[in-house]
Amino acid sequence: MTRELFASAAAVALLMGGGGSFAIAQDAGNAGSATPPPAANETLPEVQVIQEKQAPKAKPVKQAKKPAATPPVVAAPVSSDDFAEQTEATSVKMSPMGGSEIPVNKVPGSVFQVNSADIKRDGTVIIQEALQSQIPGVILGDLQGNQFQTNIQFRGFEASPVNGVPQGLAVYQNGVRINEAFGDIVNWDFLPSNAINNVAVVTGNPVFGLNALGGAVVVDMKDGFNYQGAEIDTRFGSFGRKQVSTEAGLNKGNWGVYGAFEAINDDGFRDFSDAEVRRGYFDLGVKGDGAEFHFNFTGAANQVGVTAAAPEQLLDISRQLTFTSPQTTDNEMQMYSLNGKVKATDTLTFSGVTYYRHFRQSHVDGNLFEEPGNCGGNLCSDGEEVFNAATGDPIPFQNGVAYASIDQTSQNADGAGISLQATEKARLFGHENQFVIGTSYDRGRVAYTAKSELGFMQPKFVVDGQGVIMTNDDLFPRALSTTNDYFGAFFVDTFNITDKLALTVGGRFNYARIELENAGDPDNEELNKLNGVNKYSRFNPSAGLTYTFNPALNWYGGYSEANRAPTAAEIACSDPENPCLIESFLTSDPPLKQVVSRTWETGLRGTVNNWNGSQWDWGIGLFRTENSDDIMSAASTATGRGYFQNVGTTLRQGVEANVAYRSKRLFAYANYTYNDATFQSGIPFFPAPNHPDGPGVFPCPDDPEGGDTGNCTAIHKGDRLAGIPAHTFKTGFDYWMTPKWKFGADLVAASSQFFFEDQANLSRPLAGYAKVNLHTSYDVTDHIQVYGLIENLTDKRYSLYGTYFNVDEANELEDVTGIEFDEKNPRTVVPAIPFAAYGGIKVKF
């Protein structure tokens, strides 16, 4: 993605906002959860076509002055021109594609939604943070040490931008699955926050395909039919933050066009943690009698400084310090997609989507060097001589230098796919019924490379690369070509047994073919072990019931199954005898089993509409998801290396509760989740080479070849999974002090979580935290708004991720770094952002 392309996108967005015929910028569908749910006796909605004049058409939205005395409602009004927008908050897709929507009170599982007004309310440009604040069970993790590359955790399942994290959520954008091909990672920083129209988090539906173990995140973007007008948003603030966000939409007759662009620069609050984000979205749509089609483009070119975990003792000196730099990630992505639906009859609708996606990533990671030594005048690592990969000559050993390495990886991925679906809403046995059937095919090809450059450690743990690529039996450069073929066939049927009782049954057959091929040295036996084809298949069923007593009380209950095929990255790094530098090196591939989840859930939800126009939305539910053959990474005795393995059965179960209140002047919400995430299978020997010595830590079984096996721990049934807090609580409010001035706050709190590499729960966990954010805005005129944001109001010092490091190897660098670490404290953590303040101006046309 070139800078010129983004400059052109910005120019288009600004040009679209310059016309005099636009109404004041508004989100036509932002009634969100302020819209009451369907009445208890409401049947499944019929597909309606915009141009069919079955009812009087609403008057066009015109510019108007705000009332002098009455504060505005929380969300913008709904346009009655578009049925889909009217039902946005009270309906949800039963598949990734449009045309499958049913009322939420007919869905036999949990459904949580946020719309564009919810995303904008606290001023965030990071969609993960909007989901965290308002959706029960969502909490953020941060392995990279950069706000733009955090991961979403929902009920203990991850959607992360980091290779090596087990991905347990399927993520869709406009019907396209955007889990990347190589490791199923999700790059949230590619999505322009101002272009998002609605995000739904749904559970218990295998129709969403691979990785939907804990559920699916369904992102729908704006278009020229649900957004008209233009807006320019500029912001400045702490840590060098500078950003410009623009969007514009136009609807003319049957045509609609929309464009959005965001440019963000941030220096970061830690050394080397700067970020440069450029991302854009464009949609061109057309509607005719019984048909609607959209062509859209998403593009991003982002450069992110990754600061990762640092020793606690280092952070005690300064929270800005980092451990082994440089660590940078450069991402580029372009995606083109075409989606549409055609109403074939009064009850039958066909939908489809096809896409092409290109993703390129370059990752640089400075690291400690494993046991450098002098072998006959030449450099060796762990007793093995190291060679120059370009010349084949041994690398001379130099006295007085602190050896380190810079590991470099890249992936160049191309993906394409097509999905087709039919939705039939004809009555069945005299009762309302919706039957959806469909199929999908996705293909991804990835060229992956990894190499390790010789480096010398400098002060502040900065590695100075020497331009020499190293090789030996462990360090030789890798090149891998992978091909993923994913096929799915699905159905889901919702049948109204009565006006109040609905039955939903469905299922999906998933087939995954993953081919790996050595694209490097053809004579390297270890690389040739990668060659092979891995196939996985499974049919996942689901069934559930809902009963609507009245609009204020709806019961749901259901059972579902889902599966996750091992990724190419996991398959290629599953040999404990040949561990990988995670994100970097690949070795031979003993087969991994696919992960299968089995979920039960039940709950109550409803909406209470008060006499004064205010509204309560509430819900409480129980969930239980058991994973068989779960896949996790295990650390190796070699610094920074590890491998993936099946660990048996794991369980995530608990309770979710949420409540929200909306009136003309006040919006307030609160939600709580308890998640009991545990191992259900014992593991007698789980590698923990950097775990602090103490009770429960013991040497691993002897290596037959006499190698260092390091320390192990024993995991017992009932031990908690690492990195998952048991308790999360979120609350917040918005209050209109005057018709023009709004003030709000949000609190996010999470309990403690165990360190990664402490799956046996032996050491002190990562402490819990509570963070408070503030936001306020003032409408100077109908077209100009000024606003301010404060993040981490109390300057709370807390961390979002914890693991361990090799103290002995770090202390060998004391002469250069000037720091000696306590051998009894190998804890490393990723600190969260301190107090930060931002201010900006929005101009609407």
Side-chain angles (χ1 to χ4, degrees):
M1 174 60 58
T2 64
R3 304 290 182 212
E4 291 79 5
L5 178 59
F6 280 115
S8 300
V12 170
L14 291 172
L15 180 61
M16 291 170 60
S21 62
F22 295 129
I24 296 176
Q26 61 176 299
D27 298 325
N30 283 351
S33 55
T35 304
N41 60 356
E42 184 174 342
T43 58
L44 297 175
E46 297 289 336
V47 174
Q48 297 186 15
V49 181
I50 306 308
Q51 282 70 27
E52 290 183 356
K53 300 180 180 179
Q54 299 174 353
K57 196 170 184 179
K59 294 181 180 180
V61 177
K62 297 181 179 180
Q63 295 187 5
K65 295 183 179 180
K66 295 182 179 179
T70 305
V73 295
V74 172
V78 174
S79 168
S80 60
D81 288 341
D82 196 326
F83 170 80
E85 294 306 327
Q86 293 183 63
T87 61
E88 179 181 44
T90 58
S91 67
V92 67
K93 294 178 180 178
M94 292 300 285
S95 78
M97 286 173 282
S100 62
E101 293 84 358
I102 67 171
V104 169
N105 63 358
K106 303 293 184 183
V107 179
S110 299
V111 179
F112 305 106
Q113 298 193 72
V114 295
N115 56 36
S116 58
D118 299 320
I119 295 169
K120 288 182 176 181
R121 61 170 289 274
D122 63 355
T124 184
V125 293
I126 301 173
I127 182 59
Q128 307 95 293
E129 294 186 357
L131 298 181
Q132 173 180 246
S133 67
Q134 298 180 63
I135 292 183
V138 170
I139 199 74
L140 297 191
D142 189 358
L143 283 70
Q144 301 277 61
N146 193 295
Q147 279 191 302
F148 294 96
Q149 289 210 318
T150 53
N151 56 291
I152 282 178
Q153 184 187 104
F154 174 67
R155 294 183 177 178
F157 294 93
E158 305 272 4
S160 170
V162 180
N163 277 316
V165 173
Q167 309 289 335
L169 298 173
V171 183
Y172 289 85
Q173 178 191 344
N174 288 351
V176 176
R177 183 176 179 269
I178 59 172
N179 297 77
E180 305 291 357
F182 187 66
D184 281 338
I185 63 173
V186 179
N187 289 291
W188 298 103
D189 55 313
F190 291 165
L191 295 173
S193 61
N194 57 345
I196 296 174
N197 190 52
N198 189 75
V199 181
V201 178
V202 297
T203 65
N205 190 345
V207 168
F208 287 94
L210 294 173
N211 293 93
L213 303 179
V217 181
V218 184
V219 181
D220 290 315
M221 310 296 282
K222 294 178 183 177
D223 57 45
F225 300 111
N226 57 38
Y227 181 95
Q228 294 90 45
E231 180 178 284
I232 301 175
D233 180 358
T234 59
R235 181 181 307 178
F236 302 89
S238 298
F239 312 118
R241 172 70 65 87
K242 299 181 291 292
Q243 71 179 61
V244 176
S245 300
T246 66
E247 63 175 327
L250 170 66
N251 175 208
K252 190 174 183 62
N254 292 349
W255 292 87
V257 62
Y258 174 84
F261 176 75
E262 288 185 325
I264 305 170
N265 284 73
D266 194 295
D267 295 338
F269 70 94
R270 296 177 68 191
D271 295 341
F272 318 113
S273 63
D274 57 305
E276 182 180 288
V277 176
R278 304 289 185 268
R279 56 195 184 190
Y281 177 79
F282 173 81
D283 180 276
L284 177 65
V286 60
K287 293 183 178 181
D289 291 336
E292 179 178 350
F293 295 93
H294 290 266
F295 167 80
N296 47 68
F297 166 78
T298 308
N302 301 338
Q303 300 173 346
V304 177
V306 179
T307 51
E312 289 182 332
Q313 299 160 81
L314 191 65
L315 297 176
D316 287 341
I317 299 172
S318 172
R319 304 278 282 183
Q320 296 180 346
L321 294 177
T322 59
F323 188 60
T324 65
S325 293
Q327 298 182 59
T328 61
T329 299
D330 292 351
N331 286 333
E332 294 185 6
M333 186 276 297
Q334 305 95 42
M335 184 173 76
Y336 307 84
S337 69
L338 177 67
N339 59 71
K341 57 184 178 180
V342 176
K343 187 174 182 181
T345 70
D346 290 340
T347 61
L348 177 62
T349 301
F350 292 103
S351 305
V353 61
T354 184
Y355 73 93
Y356 165 76
R357 183 180 181 92
H358 175 72
F359 168 57
R360 187 173 70 177
Q361 181 181 81
S362 175
H363 184 72
V364 173
D365 185 11
N367 280 301
L368 303 177
F369 196 86
E370 184 188 1
E371 297 187 18
N374 185 345
C375 297
N378 296 321
L379 175 67
C380 57
S381 171
D382 195 20
E384 183 181 349
E385 200 167 23
V386 179
F387 299 87
N388 184 324
T391 64
D393 298 328
I395 297 176
F397 182 83
Q398 299 183 45
N399 291 311
V401 300
Y403 282 98
S405 66
I406 297 180
D407 298 303
Q408 306 170 22
T409 66
S410 71
Q411 53 177 300
N412 197 333
D414 292 284
I418 186 170
S419 299
L420 299 172
Q421 171 184 287
T423 303
E424 176 59 71
K425 296 189 177 184
R427 298 177 74 89
L428 182 64
F429 305 121
H431 295 258
E432 295 292 330
N433 187 75
Q434 175 174 288
F435 177 70
V436 179
I437 188 170
T439 186
S440 67
Y441 172 72
D442 298 271
R443 182 180 180 87
R445 290 186 58 84
V446 182
Y448 186 92
T449 66
K451 56 189 177 182
S452 186
E453 178 186 355
L454 176 67
F456 298 152
M457 188 67 72
Q458 306 298 312
K460 299 183 70 173
F461 291 95
V462 176
V463 180
D464 180 19
Q466 301 302 299
V468 176
I469 302 303
M470 300 181 290
T471 184
N472 62 18
D473 287 345
D474 292 327
L475 296 173
F476 55 87
R478 268 77 163 174
L480 179 70
S481 175
T482 70
T483 302
N484 300 348
D485 290 292
Y486 296 150
F487 169 79
F490 60 86
F491 79 93
V492 60
D493 185 270
T494 300
F495 177 69
N496 279 8
I497 300 174
T498 70
D499 289 342
K500 296 185 176 182
L501 179 64
L503 169 68
T504 297
V505 296
R508 178 176 176 123
F509 173 76
N510 291 324
Y511 172 80
R513 180 184 183 276
I514 305 168
E515 181 177 359
L516 287 76
E517 181 180 1
N518 171 26
D521 182 359
D523 298 323
N524 189 303
E525 294 183 2
E526 289 300 323
L527 287 178
N528 288 332
K529 291 179 182 179
L530 293 169
N531 296 333
V533 176
N534 300 266
K535 300 178 181 179
Y536 302 90
S537 62
R538 195 174 196 278
F539 176 78
N540 297 309
S542 66
L545 291 166
T546 62
Y547 190 87
T548 302
F549 296 90
N550 53 57
L553 183 59
N554 172 243
W555 169 82
Y556 64 90
Y559 171 78
S560 63
E561 298 180 5
N563 74 303
R564 176 173 88 83
T567 66
E570 291 170 334
I571 293 171
C573 185
S574 57
D575 185 357
E577 300 299 324
N578 293 281
C580 313
L581 183 58
I582 303 301
E583 284 273 25
S584 297
F585 286 92
L586 305 173
T587 53
S588 55
D589 57 336
L592 289 172
K593 300 176 183 178
Q594 64 183 338
V595 184
V596 176
S597 69
R598 296 170 175 85
T599 298
W600 293 90
E601 59 182 315
T602 185
L604 299 168
R605 59 197 169 201
T607 297
V608 179
N609 295 297
N610 301 318
W611 61 271
N612 62 355
S614 62
Q615 174 180 302
W616 290 91
D617 296 292
W618 67 278
I620 184 169
L622 303 174
F623 64 90
R624 186 182 194 276
T625 300
E626 184 178 85
N627 281 7
S628 59
D629 297 316
D630 214 347
I631 298 175
M632 293 185 180
S633 61
S636 167
T637 55
T639 301
R641 287 174 170 77
Y643 58 93
F644 298 96
Q645 63 177 353
N646 293 110
V647 296
T649 302
T650 62
L651 177 66
R652 296 156 179 85
Q653 62 181 355
V655 59
E656 294 167 339
N658 63 282
V659 62
Y661 174 80
R662 296 176 187 265
S663 70
K664 289 185 176 181
R665 296 194 69 160
L666 174 66
F667 164 66
Y669 71 92
N671 61 69
Y672 166 78
T673 299
Y674 170 68
N675 189 355
D676 182 29
T678 58
F679 287 92
Q680 295 298 295
S681 298
I683 306 175
F685 305 105
F686 194 85
N690 298 316
H691 197 291
D693 292 333
V697 181
F698 52 88
C700 295
D702 293 338
D703 184 343
E705 298 181 1
D708 180 14
T709 58
N711 288 334
C712 275
T713 60
I715 296 175
H716 302 92
K717 180 179 180 179
D719 286 342
R720 289 194 57 82
L721 300 178
I724 302 176
H727 305 274
T728 57
F729 174 74
K730 285 83 71 76
T731 187
F733 72 91
D734 286 334
Y735 185 74
W736 272 261
M737 312 292 287
T738 73
K740 296 178 178 293
W741 178 25
K742 182 184 74 171
F743 175 78
D746 297 280
L747 178 144
V748 176
S751 62
S752 62
Q753 54 185 279
F754 284 100
F755 274 49
F756 287 85
E757 206 177 319
D758 187 25
Q759 308 282 11
N761 305 170
L762 301 175
S763 295
R764 174 169 54 93
L766 188 70
Y769 64 89
K771 178 185 74 167
V772 176
N773 294 343
L774 301 181
H775 55 272
T776 187
S777 63
Y778 184 82
D779 295 326
V780 179
T781 71
D782 289 345
H783 301 280
I784 299 175
Q785 180 187 89
V786 294
Y787 64 90
L789 316 169
I790 291 179
E791 188 162 358
N792 196 357
L793 173 67
T794 61
D795 200 21
K796 175 71 174 179
R797 290 195 171 193
Y798 66 98
S799 301
L800 295 173
Y801 172 81
T803 187
Y804 301 118
F805 76 112
N806 190 313
V807 178
D808 291 337
E809 290 188 0
N811 281 341
E812 291 179 1
L813 306 174
E814 181 184 358
D815 291 343
V816 174
T817 63
I819 297 176
E820 181 180 7
F821 295 104
D822 182 356
E823 294 183 357
K824 297 181 180 180
N825 183 13
R827 296 161 59 92
T828 64
V829 299
V830 176
I833 187 171
F835 176 90
Y838 310 97
I841 299 175
K842 290 182 181 180
V843 179
K844 300 180 181 181
F845 301 95

